[in-house]
Amino acid sequence: MKNIHFLILIVLLIPAMIYLFAFNQIYRSQHTQKTMLEKVGDECAGIAENSVANMTAVVEFQKLEIQGRKFNVMRRCMADHAYFESPKWTAYAKPIAQSNSLNQKISEDEAIENLRRSHMVIFKADSNQPIYWEYRP
C-alpha cells in the first residue's frame, strides 16, 4: 500500500516539477533585467504622464501647453536621477534639426525641441544613433 502511495506521489510530482521548471524558464526569458536608464526612464515617464492626466485641452495652444509641461516634468525627474541631455546626442541632432526646419518650414529651435521630445522617451541604446540621456553623477 505504501508503495502505491509513493508511486502515485512520484507520478504527480514529476509533471509538476517539469511544469515549474518550464514556467520558470519562460518567465526569465520574458523578464530580462532592465538597465538603470530604463528603470528611471519608465518611472519618470509615468510621473510625467500623471502630471498632466487631469488636464484637458480644447484649443491647440492648450495642447502645446500640456505637452510642454509633460516634457518639462520628464526633464526634471531625469535630472533628479542624474540623467541629462548627452552632448553626443546634441551633436547628432543639430544637423537633423537644421534639415527638418527647412523641410517643415519651422524654426531650428522648434525642430530641435521636437527631436528632443521624441528622443527623450527612448531608453534603449540603438547602434544607429546616440541615446538622448547621459548619466552624470
Side-chain angles (χ1 to χ4, degrees):
M1 192 67 159
K2 285 184 179 181
N3 287 343
I4 293 174
H5 287 349
F6 181 74
L7 198 57
I8 292 172
L9 180 67
I10 295 288
V11 168
L12 293 175
L13 196 58
I14 289 174
M17 290 178 66
I18 291 171
Y19 174 78
L20 288 174
F21 177 75
F23 180 79
N24 191 24
Q25 294 295 78
I26 292 168
Y27 181 80
R28 278 190 199 161
S29 68
Q30 290 176 347
H31 299 312
T32 56
Q33 284 287 72
K34 286 186 173 185
T35 64
M36 185 57 82
L37 174 59
E38 290 173 310
K39 290 177 186 176
V40 170
D42 288 346
E43 178 186 336
C44 289
I47 291 169
E49 283 294 328
N50 289 339
S51 73
V52 297
N54 295 328
M55 299 176 79
T56 56
V58 177
V59 294
E60 191 63 31
F61 178 78
Q62 292 169 324
K63 292 176 187 176
L64 292 172
E65 284 286 319
I66 291 170
Q67 187 181 34
R69 180 181 202 170
K70 179 175 142 183
F71 285 107
N72 188 36
V73 169
M74 181 77 174
R75 278 188 192 109
R76 288 186 296 163
C77 180
M78 293 298 285
D80 288 347
H81 290 88
Y83 284 95
F84 299 92
E85 184 176 299
S86 167
K88 290 177 187 173
W89 181 87
T90 306
Y92 160 82
K94 192 166 178 88
I96 296 171
Q98 290 171 341
S99 174
N100 288 352
S101 72
L102 293 173
N103 293 339
Q104 298 171 7
K105 297 180 181 16
I106 58 176
S107 70
E108 274 189 46
D109 289 337
E110 183 177 356
I112 195 78
E113 189 62 25
N114 291 340
L115 279 173
R116 275 189 186 105
R117 289 177 179 185
S118 65
H119 285 234
M120 71 171 37
V121 293
I122 299 172
F123 307 117
K124 282 191 175 205
D126 181 359
S127 60
N128 298 329
Q129 63 190 24
I131 191 104
Y132 178 84
W133 298 107
E134 177 180 80
Y135 183 70
R136 293 187 220 148

